[in-house]
Amino acid sequence: MADEIKQLIDMLARLRGIVEDGFATIEKRFEDIDRRFEGIDKRFEAVGKRFDNIEVAIQELNTNQLRILNSMKLLERDVKSNQKHIERLEEKESFL
C-alpha cells in the first residue's frame, strides 16, 4: 500500500507540474495577446491623431473659404462703387 501511495504522490506531483506548465503557457499567450492589443491601441491612437489633423485642416479650409467669400463681397462692393463713380464722372464730362 505504501508503494501505491508513493505512486499516487508521484502522479500528483507530475500532474501538478503539467498543470503549472499549462498555466505558464496560457499566461505567455495572454501576454502576447496583450502586447498585440497594445499595438492595435497605438495604431488606433495614431489614426485618431490623423483624423484630428484632418479635422483641423478642414476647419482651416472653412475659415479660408469664409475669408475668401468676405473678400469677394468687399471686392464686389468696391467694383460697384467704382462703377458708380465712373458713371458720375462720365455724366460730368458729357455736361462739359
Side-chain angles (χ1 to χ4, degrees), residues 18-36:
I18 291 170
V19 170
E20 286 175 350
D21 289 345
F23 278 120
T25 301
I26 291 170
E27 186 174 343
K28 286 179 185 177
R29 288 183 181 168
F30 275 116
E31 288 172 357
D32 289 342
I33 291 170
D34 283 345
R35 274 186 246 124
R36 289 179 188 160

Side-chain angles (χ1 to χ4, degrees), residues 5 10 16 20 35 41 47 51 69 73 78 86 88:
I5 292 174
D10 288 343
R16 179 180 178 187
E20 286 175 350
R35 274 186 246 124
D41 284 344
V47 169
F51 276 114
L69 288 174
K73 287 178 184 177
D78 286 346
I86 290 170
R88 286 186 202 130

Side-chain angles (χ1 to χ4, degrees), residues 5 7 18 37 54:
I5 292 174
Q7 286 177 352
I18 291 170
F37 275 113
I54 290 170

Side-chain angles (χ1 to χ4, degrees), residues 61-94:
L61 284 173
N62 288 337
T63 300
N64 289 339
Q65 278 182 327
L66 289 174
R67 287 179 182 160
I68 290 169
L69 288 174
N70 288 335
S71 294
M72 288 175 62
K73 287 178 184 177
L74 289 173
L75 285 172
E76 184 180 356
R77 287 182 197 158
D78 286 346
V79 167
K80 286 180 181 179
S81 174
N82 287 341
Q83 284 176 340
K84 288 180 183 178
H85 185 69
I86 290 170
E87 288 172 3
R88 286 186 202 130
L89 287 175
E90 288 175 345
E91 287 175 8
K92 285 183 181 180
E93 282 182 12
S94 67

